[in-house]
Amino acid sequence: MAGVALSAAWAAPALAQDAVVLDQPADPDAAIEFSADVIEYQAEDEIVTARGQVRMNRDGYWLAADEVSWNRKTGIVVATGNVVALGPVGDRIMGDRVELDEDLATGAIDNLLVALESGGRIAARSANRVDGDLVLRDAIYSPCGTVGPGGCSKPSSWRITAARIVRDDETGSIRFEGGQLHIFKLSVPLFPAFKVGDPTQLGGATGALVPDISISGINGVELAFPYYWRIAENRDFTITPHVYTEALPAIEGRYRHLGESGAWQAGAFLTYGDIDNPDPDAPNKMLSEDIRGYFEGNGRFQHDPWWRTTANFRVATDKTVTRRYDITRDDRLRNFIRTERIGEDSYVSIAGWAFQGLRVNDVQEEIPIALPAIDARLRLDDPIAGGRVELQANSLAILRIDGQDTQRAFASARWDRRMLTSMGQEITFTAYGRGDVYHTNDSALTDTVIYRGEDGWHTRAIVAGAVDLRMPLIGEGFGGTQRLVPRIQLVVTPDTENLKIPNEDARAIDLEDSNLFALNRFPGYDRWEDGSRITYGLEYLLDRPNMSIRTNIGQSYRLTRAPDILPDGTGLTDKWSDFVGRTRLRFGRMIDFTHRFRLDKDNLAIRRNELDLVFGTTETYAQIGYLRLDRDIDTTIEDLRDKEELRVAARIKFSRYYSIFGATVLDLTSTDEDPLSLADGFEPARHRIGILYEDDSIELGASWKRDYEQIGDFRKGSTFSIQFSLKGLGR
């Protein structure tokens, strides 16, 4: 009987197994469609009664009940018996009796339960729909409606009671009027009108967020009161006043915008007060009293399938504001803007970089600005002599307000051909050529002599060839599959002019397993490792169910004189290099252990010793990290300072809902590793410990951290923080 209009001809009961369209209007989409086991029509009173598995639908509103009576004269629809009403946002209203208009959007309900799409529940004494919005009276909201399979593991730890709750069917937001928040056995009155967004929807509703509370030794008690303003579906703004007992108030704001081509955000932190002197030995502990702030922003825009632009900026008014107000621990702030074109076989990048130094001895006028930095690469489609060819062009300008300036440009071509022999050996042939043009001035202003180069114009030609042989041996062993892969590489390159050219991007050279077989073991382009050499190594791999081992070790030997551009202690200065290697051991998801090392070629002394261990589950785990660099490098080379450090972190879940966590960093550096170090060999850097309660509806915790690093005349000291989050509430 689908599609048939109800008329006066229906004077007797009828069976309706299919959907029926009631009262065909001018707009077919506005019709009420329903199905039921039995339909009765009283022509004199114009009352339609449907019984048995009644289902009604109109304009996104859906109704199910044991019996539905529709008065065509008044337009009132009354549903009784196991009533379930579903709105456009997916929320379900359950009750014994529901009275609605014929649009199914407005009406009254008694003793009802609303099952929200987010998983929460609202129980109310009475409710009615007004223009699609659900208005509930004498109501209780709980984030967990059911306990057991498919619901929460325990009754909700919090709930909200309110004299009136308004549920917006269009946005999904919930407005509480005259409400109280009940957490465990504690009751807290809410604002007269408290509004939250739909947790299942992106964004949220305008309103106050949960305050943040912390206590620090430098700022005293801190209270933060964030307020969220949802400007539109794709834009929002959060403003957060900060109040301190030992400092003047501060204001923080963040704006976010999501557009068709990308997204961006900007934030700021502003206050007023004494600017601390970053130098602890200075006689004046305060520099001045002024506005202090921190500004940041980032974004990415996709212009078309190939071109995109990424930007990031971070600026502070002084060197100590970020540490004093616990904004960031970074000792330098990075700013850049980059436009890229990414194709299947090509890449182009045009970028600019600037930095702000926050360390005590940083002189901002001497920190470089890279503008522009251009890099373009092209991989040819057709192979040449059976090998793949990649072309590259690069240009960089380094500017300093007070210091050395450098400009460079180069073009290069690289050819690689990989072959497999009949016995399974892998041979890779490489040919490389590059031409450089450099210009620099004010080189005498660079303190480290080996970085300076010489003023004026300089050119350089680089040519290299390499043969790399890998011989994998594969077989069964130890209940799994094992592979033993000997490897040997020959690199041939003539002597190359290096010292007349300034070094801006290839300073922190250090031999390790990741660059042992690299064509150029310097990290950048300004230095080229000339001189022919042979590099050999051995790799072993074992794979078993739930276990794997990866280990390698290697060394290189120079066939020509040792280059004079490598500082002593890097492991590369003599004919024979140091030994380097790495081992990684994994047992399922329980244990992950990595060890990196460098051994002195003469006496096997450990020059680099780095261990990282993670063990446990996702809920209870521990992390241990240890690093010791003992390379005896000249102390005037600031980029390669030696140090020793221990890092430990752990989380223990000691009951179903409680866990404790902690972390520490210890500076173990002494004058044995770094003659310029002021550490005594065992000096704490920072500690953190806390406890957390978390169930299906709430997250509540407290933590303490202490920062021992001295910034100016003060140490950050201890900070106590309270973590509080209500799940299922949204913003």
Side-chain angles (χ1 to χ4, degrees), residues 265-286:
Q265 63 177 344
F269 179 93
L270 286 173
T271 187
Y272 185 89
D274 293 327
I275 300 178
D276 310 282
N277 193 330
D279 186 359
D281 299 324
N284 55 328
K285 304 306 180 182
M286 299 296 174

mmCIF file with all atom_site columns, all heavy atoms in Angstrom, residues 265-286:
data_model
loop_
_atom_site.group_PDB
_atom_site.id
_atom_site.type_symbol
_atom_site.label_atom_id
_atom_site.label_alt_id
_atom_site.label_comp_id
_atom_site.label_asym_id
_atom_site.label_entity_id
_atom_site.label_seq_id
_atom_site.pdbx_PDB_ins_code
_atom_site.Cartn_x
_atom_site.Cartn_y
_atom_site.Cartn_z
_atom_site.occupancy
_atom_site.B_iso_or_equiv
_atom_site.pdbx_formal_charge
_atom_site.auth_seq_id
_atom_site.auth_comp_id
_atom_site.auth_asym_id
_atom_site.auth_atom_id
_atom_site.pdbx_PDB_model_num
ATOM 1   N N   . GLN A 1 265 ? 46.659 28.642 12.793 1.00 0.00 ? 265 GLN A N   1
ATOM 2   C CA  . GLN A 1 265 ? 46.333 29.066 14.143 1.00 0.00 ? 265 GLN A CA  1
ATOM 3   C C   . GLN A 1 265 ? 47.397 30.040 14.630 1.00 0.00 ? 265 GLN A C   1
ATOM 4   O O   . GLN A 1 265 ? 48.544 30.017 14.170 1.00 0.00 ? 265 GLN A O   1
ATOM 5   C CB  . GLN A 1 265 ? 46.229 27.873 15.087 1.00 0.00 ? 265 GLN A CB  1
ATOM 6   C CG  . GLN A 1 265 ? 47.512 27.097 15.257 1.00 0.00 ? 265 GLN A CG  1
ATOM 7   C CD  . GLN A 1 265 ? 47.363 25.966 16.259 1.00 0.00 ? 265 GLN A CD  1
ATOM 8   O OE1 . GLN A 1 265 ? 46.430 25.920 17.037 1.00 0.00 ? 265 GLN A OE1 1
ATOM 9   N NE2 . GLN A 1 265 ? 48.306 25.037 16.239 1.00 0.00 ? 265 GLN A NE2 1
ATOM 10  N N   . ALA A 1 266 ? 47.013 30.902 15.564 1.00 0.00 ? 266 ALA A N   1
ATOM 11  C CA  . ALA A 1 266 ? 47.933 31.870 16.145 1.00 0.00 ? 266 ALA A CA  1
ATOM 12  C C   . ALA A 1 266 ? 47.618 32.015 17.620 1.00 0.00 ? 266 ALA A C   1
ATOM 13  O O   . ALA A 1 266 ? 46.447 31.981 18.026 1.00 0.00 ? 266 ALA A O   1
ATOM 14  C CB  . ALA A 1 266 ? 47.819 33.220 15.434 1.00 0.00 ? 266 ALA A CB  1
ATOM 15  N N   . GLY A 1 267 ? 48.663 32.156 18.427 1.00 0.00 ? 267 GLY A N   1
ATOM 16  C CA  . GLY A 1 267 ? 48.480 32.290 19.860 1.00 0.00 ? 267 GLY A CA  1
ATOM 17  C C   . GLY A 1 267 ? 49.428 33.318 20.438 1.00 0.00 ? 267 GLY A C   1
ATOM 18  O O   . GLY A 1 267 ? 50.458 33.656 19.844 1.00 0.00 ? 267 GLY A O   1
ATOM 19  N N   . ALA A 1 268 ? 49.084 33.814 21.620 1.00 0.00 ? 268 ALA A N   1
ATOM 20  C CA  . ALA A 1 268 ? 49.913 34.819 22.281 1.00 0.00 ? 268 ALA A CA  1
ATOM 21  C C   . ALA A 1 268 ? 49.752 34.700 23.785 1.00 0.00 ? 268 ALA A C   1
ATOM 22  O O   . ALA A 1 268 ? 48.697 34.287 24.288 1.00 0.00 ? 268 ALA A O   1
ATOM 23  C CB  . ALA A 1 268 ? 49.542 36.224 21.814 1.00 0.00 ? 268 ALA A CB  1
ATOM 24  N N   . PHE A 1 269 ? 50.829 35.067 24.498 1.00 0.00 ? 269 PHE A N   1
ATOM 25  C CA  . PHE A 1 269 ? 50.833 35.117 25.964 1.00 0.00 ? 269 PHE A CA  1
ATOM 26  C C   . PHE A 1 269 ? 51.438 36.465 26.341 1.00 0.00 ? 269 PHE A C   1
ATOM 27  O O   . PHE A 1 269 ? 52.557 36.794 25.915 1.00 0.00 ? 269 PHE A O   1
ATOM 28  C CB  . PHE A 1 269 ? 51.660 33.969 26.532 1.00 0.00 ? 269 PHE A CB  1
ATOM 29  C CG  . PHE A 1 269 ? 51.749 33.958 28.035 1.00 0.00 ? 269 PHE A CG  1
ATOM 30  C CD1 . PHE A 1 269 ? 50.848 33.219 28.786 1.00 0.00 ? 269 PHE A CD1 1
ATOM 31  C CD2 . PHE A 1 269 ? 52.725 34.684 28.697 1.00 0.00 ? 269 PHE A CD2 1
ATOM 32  C CE1 . PHE A 1 269 ? 50.925 33.213 30.174 1.00 0.00 ? 269 PHE A CE1 1
ATOM 33  C CE2 . PHE A 1 269 ? 52.808 34.686 30.074 1.00 0.00 ? 269 PHE A CE2 1
ATOM 34  C CZ  . PHE A 1 269 ? 51.910 33.943 30.819 1.00 0.00 ? 269 PHE A CZ  1
ATOM 35  N N   . LEU A 1 270 ? 50.726 37.276 27.140 1.00 0.00 ? 270 LEU A N   1
ATOM 36  C CA  . LEU A 1 270 ? 51.180 38.618 27.482 1.00 0.00 ? 270 LEU A CA  1
ATOM 37  C C   . LEU A 1 270 ? 51.062 38.854 28.977 1.00 0.00 ? 270 LEU A C   1
ATOM 38  O O   . LEU A 1 270 ? 50.090 38.439 29.623 1.00 0.00 ? 270 LEU A O   1
ATOM 39  C CB  . LEU A 1 270 ? 50.350 39.678 26.743 1.00 0.00 ? 270 LEU A CB  1
ATOM 40  C CG  . LEU A 1 270 ? 50.620 39.869 25.246 1.00 0.00 ? 270 LEU A CG  1
ATOM 41  C CD1 . LEU A 1 270 ? 49.592 40.818 24.654 1.00 0.00 ? 270 LEU A CD1 1
ATOM 42  C CD2 . LEU A 1 270 ? 52.032 40.388 25.014 1.00 0.00 ? 270 LEU A CD2 1
ATOM 43  N N   . THR A 1 271 ? 52.074 39.530 29.519 1.00 0.00 ? 271 THR A N   1
ATOM 44  C CA  . THR A 1 271 ? 52.041 39.939 30.916 1.00 0.00 ? 271 THR A CA  1
ATOM 45  C C   . THR A 1 271 ? 52.949 41.153 31.072 1.00 0.00 ? 271 THR A C   1
ATOM 46  O O   . THR A 1 271 ? 53.539 41.634 30.086 1.00 0.00 ? 271 THR A O   1
ATOM 47  C CB  . THR A 1 271 ? 52.490 38.802 31.846 1.00 0.00 ? 271 THR A CB  1
ATOM 48  O OG1 . THR A 1 271 ? 52.292 39.198 33.211 1.00 0.00 ? 271 THR A OG1 1
ATOM 49  C CG2 . THR A 1 271 ? 53.940 38.444 31.622 1.00 0.00 ? 271 THR A CG2 1
ATOM 50  N N   . TYR A 1 272 ? 53.084 41.623 32.291 1.00 0.00 ? 272 TYR A N   1
ATOM 51  C CA  . TYR A 1 272 ? 53.954 42.776 32.579 1.00 0.00 ? 272 TYR A CA  1
ATOM 52  C C   . TYR A 1 272 ? 54.702 42.478 33.863 1.00 0.00 ? 272 TYR A C   1
ATOM 53  O O   . TYR A 1 272 ? 54.133 41.955 34.832 1.00 0.00 ? 272 TYR A O   1
ATOM 54  C CB  . TYR A 1 272 ? 53.126 44.050 32.740 1.00 0.00 ? 272 TYR A CB  1
ATOM 55  C CG  . TYR A 1 272 ? 53.963 45.307 32.911 1.00 0.00 ? 272 TYR A CG  1
ATOM 56  C CD1 . TYR A 1 272 ? 54.379 46.025 31.807 1.00 0.00 ? 272 TYR A CD1 1
ATOM 57  C CD2 . TYR A 1 272 ? 54.329 45.752 34.186 1.00 0.00 ? 272 TYR A CD2 1
ATOM 58  C CE1 . TYR A 1 272 ? 55.149 47.179 31.961 1.00 0.00 ? 272 TYR A CE1 1
ATOM 59  C CE2 . TYR A 1 272 ? 55.091 46.904 34.352 1.00 0.00 ? 272 TYR A CE2 1
ATOM 60  C CZ  . TYR A 1 272 ? 55.498 47.608 33.235 1.00 0.00 ? 272 TYR A CZ  1
ATOM 61  O OH  . TYR A 1 272 ? 56.272 48.740 33.381 1.00 0.00 ? 272 TYR A OH  1
ATOM 62  N N   . GLY A 1 273 ? 56.003 42.797 33.882 1.00 0.00 ? 273 GLY A N   1
ATOM 63  C CA  . GLY A 1 273 ? 56.762 42.543 35.092 1.00 0.00 ? 273 GLY A CA  1
ATOM 64  C C   . GLY A 1 273 ? 58.239 42.717 34.881 1.00 0.00 ? 273 GLY A C   1
ATOM 65  O O   . GLY A 1 273 ? 58.708 43.203 33.832 1.00 0.00 ? 273 GLY A O   1
ATOM 66  N N   . ASP A 1 274 ? 59.027 42.299 35.875 1.00 0.00 ? 274 ASP A N   1
ATOM 67  C CA  . ASP A 1 274 ? 60.479 42.401 35.814 1.00 0.00 ? 274 ASP A CA  1
ATOM 68  C C   . ASP A 1 274 ? 61.036 41.358 34.849 1.00 0.00 ? 274 ASP A C   1
ATOM 69  O O   . ASP A 1 274 ? 60.671 40.186 34.900 1.00 0.00 ? 274 ASP A O   1
ATOM 70  C CB  . ASP A 1 274 ? 61.081 42.182 37.206 1.00 0.00 ? 274 ASP A CB  1
ATOM 71  C CG  . ASP A 1 274 ? 60.711 43.305 38.171 1.00 0.00 ? 274 ASP A CG  1
ATOM 72  O OD1 . ASP A 1 274 ? 60.573 44.448 37.696 1.00 0.00 ? 274 ASP A OD1 1
ATOM 73  O OD2 . ASP A 1 274 ? 60.554 43.023 39.366 1.00 0.00 ? 274 ASP A OD2 1
ATOM 74  N N   . ILE A 1 275 ? 61.933 41.790 33.973 1.00 0.00 ? 275 ILE A N   1
ATOM 75  C CA  . ILE A 1 275 ? 62.602 40.887 33.038 1.00 0.00 ? 275 ILE A CA  1
ATOM 76  C C   . ILE A 1 275 ? 63.871 40.379 33.705 1.00 0.00 ? 275 ILE A C   1
ATOM 77  O O   . ILE A 1 275 ? 64.774 41.160 34.036 1.00 0.00 ? 275 ILE A O   1
ATOM 78  C CB  . ILE A 1 275 ? 62.928 41.596 31.714 1.00 0.00 ? 275 ILE A CB  1
ATOM 79  C CG1 . ILE A 1 275 ? 61.631 42.091 31.053 1.00 0.00 ? 275 ILE A CG1 1
ATOM 80  C CG2 . ILE A 1 275 ? 63.688 40.667 30.785 1.00 0.00 ? 275 ILE A CG2 1
ATOM 81  C CD1 . ILE A 1 275 ? 61.858 42.851 29.772 1.00 0.00 ? 275 ILE A CD1 1
ATOM 82  N N   . ASP A 1 276 ? 63.947 39.084 33.925 1.00 0.00 ? 276 ASP A N   1
ATOM 83  C CA  . ASP A 1 276 ? 65.086 38.490 34.614 1.00 0.00 ? 276 ASP A CA  1
ATOM 84  C C   . ASP A 1 276 ? 66.317 38.508 33.715 1.00 0.00 ? 276 ASP A C   1
ATOM 85  O O   . ASP A 1 276 ? 66.243 38.262 32.504 1.00 0.00 ? 276 ASP A O   1
ATOM 86  C CB  . ASP A 1 276 ? 64.759 37.046 35.000 1.00 0.00 ? 276 ASP A CB  1
ATOM 87  C CG  . ASP A 1 276 ? 63.420 36.944 35.703 1.00 0.00 ? 276 ASP A CG  1
ATOM 88  O OD1 . ASP A 1 276 ? 63.357 37.263 36.886 1.00 0.00 ? 276 ASP A OD1 1
ATOM 89  O OD2 . ASP A 1 276 ? 62.441 36.539 35.034 1.00 0.00 ? 276 ASP A OD2 1
ATOM 90  N N   . ASN A 1 277 ? 67.453 38.769 34.298 1.00 0.00 ? 277 ASN A N   1
ATOM 91  C CA  . ASN A 1 277 ? 68.720 38.706 33.573 1.00 0.00 ? 277 ASN A CA  1
ATOM 92  C C   . ASN A 1 277 ? 69.096 37.246 33.379 1.00 0.00 ? 277 ASN A C   1
ATOM 93  O O   . ASN A 1 277 ? 69.208 36.496 34.347 1.00 0.00 ? 277 ASN A O   1
ATOM 94  C CB  . ASN A 1 277 ? 69.814 39.429 34.367 1.00 0.00 ? 277 ASN A CB  1
ATOM 95  C CG  . ASN A 1 277 ? 71.058 39.681 33.540 1.00 0.00 ? 277 ASN A CG  1
ATOM 96  O OD1 . ASN A 1 277 ? 71.376 38.909 32.628 1.00 0.00 ? 277 ASN A OD1 1
ATOM 97  N ND2 . ASN A 1 277 ? 71.769 40.750 33.852 1.00 0.00 ? 277 ASN A ND2 1
ATOM 98  N N   . PRO A 1 278 ? 69.298 36.781 32.130 1.00 0.00 ? 278 PRO A N   1
ATOM 99  C CA  . PRO A 1 278 ? 69.621 35.369 31.918 1.00 0.00 ? 278 PRO A CA  1
ATOM 100 C C   . PRO A 1 278 ? 71.006 34.974 32.408 1.00 0.00 ? 278 PRO A C   1
ATOM 101 O O   . PRO A 1 278 ? 71.288 33.785 32.551 1.00 0.00 ? 278 PRO A O   1
ATOM 102 C CB  . PRO A 1 278 ? 69.503 35.213 30.398 1.00 0.00 ? 278 PRO A CB  1
ATOM 103 C CG  . PRO A 1 278 ? 69.750 36.574 29.854 1.00 0.00 ? 278 PRO A CG  1
ATOM 104 C CD  . PRO A 1 278 ? 69.185 37.531 30.857 1.00 0.00 ? 278 PRO A CD  1
ATOM 105 N N   . ASP A 1 279 ? 71.867 35.941 32.667 1.00 0.00 ? 279 ASP A N   1
ATOM 106 C CA  . ASP A 1 279 ? 73.224 35.655 33.124 1.00 0.00 ? 279 ASP A CA  1
ATOM 107 C C   . ASP A 1 279 ? 73.240 35.632 34.646 1.00 0.00 ? 279 ASP A C   1
ATOM 108 O O   . ASP A 1 279 ? 73.071 36.663 35.297 1.00 0.00 ? 279 ASP A O   1
ATOM 109 C CB  . ASP A 1 279 ? 74.183 36.710 32.590 1.00 0.00 ? 279 ASP A CB  1
ATOM 110 C CG  . ASP A 1 279 ? 75.636 36.384 32.915 1.00 0.00 ? 279 ASP A CG  1
ATOM 111 O OD1 . ASP A 1 279 ? 75.874 35.352 33.574 1.00 0.00 ? 279 ASP A OD1 1
ATOM 112 O OD2 . ASP A 1 279 ? 76.524 37.156 32.511 1.00 0.00 ? 279 ASP A OD2 1
ATOM 113 N N   . PRO A 1 280 ? 73.455 34.453 35.263 1.00 0.00 ? 280 PRO A N   1
ATOM 114 C CA  . PRO A 1 280 ? 73.414 34.383 36.730 1.00 0.00 ? 280 PRO A CA  1
ATOM 115 C C   . PRO A 1 280 ? 74.577 35.110 37.394 1.00 0.00 ? 280 PRO A C   1
ATOM 116 O O   . PRO A 1 280 ? 74.514 35.418 38.585 1.00 0.00 ? 280 PRO A O   1
ATOM 117 C CB  . PRO A 1 280 ? 73.460 32.877 37.010 1.00 0.00 ? 280 PRO A CB  1
ATOM 118 C CG  . PRO A 1 280 ? 74.132 32.292 35.812 1.00 0.00 ? 280 PRO A CG  1
ATOM 119 C CD  . PRO A 1 280 ? 73.715 33.138 34.648 1.00 0.00 ? 280 PRO A CD  1
ATOM 120 N N   . ASP A 1 281 ? 75.646 35.388 36.634 1.00 0.00 ? 281 ASP A N   1
ATOM 121 C CA  . ASP A 1 281 ? 76.815 36.046 37.230 1.00 0.00 ? 281 ASP A CA  1
ATOM 122 C C   . ASP A 1 281 ? 76.758 37.560 37.097 1.00 0.00 ? 281 ASP A C   1
ATOM 123 O O   . ASP A 1 281 ? 77.660 38.264 37.560 1.00 0.00 ? 281 ASP A O   1
ATOM 124 C CB  . ASP A 1 281 ? 78.093 35.530 36.568 1.00 0.00 ? 281 ASP A CB  1
ATOM 125 C CG  . ASP A 1 281 ? 78.266 34.020 36.756 1.00 0.00 ? 281 ASP A CG  1
ATOM 126 O OD1 . ASP A 1 281 ? 77.902 33.534 37.838 1.00 0.00 ? 281 ASP A OD1 1
ATOM 127 O OD2 . ASP A 1 281 ? 78.751 33.351 35.830 1.00 0.00 ? 281 ASP A OD2 1
ATOM 128 N N   . ALA A 1 282 ? 75.724 38.081 36.442 1.00 0.00 ? 282 ALA A N   1
ATOM 129 C CA  . ALA A 1 282 ? 75.621 39.532 36.252 1.00 0.00 ? 282 ALA A CA  1
ATOM 130 C C   . ALA A 1 282 ? 75.271 40.204 37.575 1.00 0.00 ? 282 ALA A C   1
ATOM 131 O O   . ALA A 1 282 ? 74.521 39.660 38.385 1.00 0.00 ? 282 ALA A O   1
ATOM 132 C CB  . ALA A 1 282 ? 74.576 39.854 35.196 1.00 0.00 ? 282 ALA A CB  1
ATOM 133 N N   . PRO A 1 283 ? 75.804 41.406 37.823 1.00 0.00 ? 283 PRO A N   1
ATOM 134 C CA  . PRO A 1 283 ? 75.497 42.090 39.095 1.00 0.00 ? 283 PRO A CA  1
ATOM 135 C C   . PRO A 1 283 ? 74.041 42.519 39.193 1.00 0.00 ? 283 PRO A C   1
ATOM 136 O O   . PRO A 1 283 ? 73.468 42.526 40.281 1.00 0.00 ? 283 PRO A O   1
ATOM 137 C CB  . PRO A 1 283 ? 76.443 43.306 39.069 1.00 0.00 ? 283 PRO A CB  1
ATOM 138 C CG  . PRO A 1 283 ? 76.752 43.525 37.619 1.00 0.00 ? 283 PRO A CG  1
ATOM 139 C CD  . PRO A 1 283 ? 76.744 42.155 36.985 1.00 0.00 ? 283 PRO A CD  1
ATOM 140 N N   . ASN A 1 284 ? 73.438 42.911 38.079 1.00 0.00 ? 284 ASN A N   1
ATOM 141 C CA  . ASN A 1 284 ? 72.027 43.308 38.107 1.00 0.00 ? 284 ASN A CA  1
ATOM 142 C C   . ASN A 1 284 ? 71.160 42.099 37.787 1.00 0.00 ? 284 ASN A C   1
ATOM 143 O O   . ASN A 1 284 ? 71.257 41.510 36.723 1.00 0.00 ? 284 ASN A O   1
ATOM 144 C CB  . ASN A 1 284 ? 71.764 44.439 37.115 1.00 0.00 ? 284 ASN A CB  1
ATOM 145 C CG  . ASN A 1 284 ? 72.219 44.090 35.706 1.00 0.00 ? 284 ASN A CG  1
ATOM 146 O OD1 . ASN A 1 284 ? 73.187 43.365 35.525 1.00 0.00 ? 284 ASN A OD1 1
ATOM 147 N ND2 . ASN A 1 284 ? 71.530 44.623 34.716 1.00 0.00 ? 284 ASN A ND2 1
ATOM 148 N N   . LYS A 1 285 ? 70.317 41.712 38.710 1.00 0.00 ? 285 LYS A N   1
ATOM 149 C CA  . LYS A 1 285 ? 69.499 40.508 38.562 1.00 0.00 ? 285 LYS A CA  1
ATOM 150 C C   . LYS A 1 285 ? 68.289 40.759 37.675 1.00 0.00 ? 285 LYS A C   1
ATOM 151 O O   . LYS A 1 285 ? 67.758 39.822 37.081 1.00 0.00 ? 285 LYS A O   1
ATOM 152 C CB  . LYS A 1 285 ? 69.037 40.007 39.934 1.00 0.00 ? 285 LYS A CB  1
ATOM 153 C CG  . LYS A 1 285 ? 70.180 39.752 40.900 1.00 0.00 ? 285 LYS A CG  1
ATOM 154 C CD  . LYS A 1 285 ? 71.225 38.807 40.321 1.00 0.00 ? 285 LYS A CD  1
ATOM 155 C CE  . LYS A 1 285 ? 72.367 38.568 41.301 1.00 0.00 ? 285 LYS A CE  1
ATOM 156 N NZ  . LYS A 1 285 ? 73.415 37.688 40.717 1.00 0.00 ? 285 LYS A NZ  1
ATOM 157 N N   . MET A 1 286 ? 67.840 41.975 37.581 1.00 0.00 ? 286 MET A N   1
ATOM 158 C CA  . MET A 1 286 ? 66.704 42.318 36.732 1.00 0.00 ? 286 MET A CA  1
ATOM 159 C C   . MET A 1 286 ? 67.163 43.333 35.694 1.00 0.00 ? 286 MET A C   1
ATOM 160 O O   . MET A 1 286 ? 67.895 44.278 36.010 1.00 0.00 ? 286 MET A O   1
ATOM 161 C CB  . MET A 1 286 ? 65.556 42.897 37.561 1.00 0.00 ? 286 MET A CB  1
ATOM 162 C CG  . MET A 1 286 ? 65.018 41.937 38.613 1.00 0.00 ? 286 MET A CG  1
ATOM 163 S SD  . MET A 1 286 ? 64.286 40.458 37.870 1.00 0.00 ? 286 MET A SD  1
ATOM 164 C CE  . MET A 1 286 ? 63.949 39.497 39.358 1.00 0.00 ? 286 MET A CE  1
#
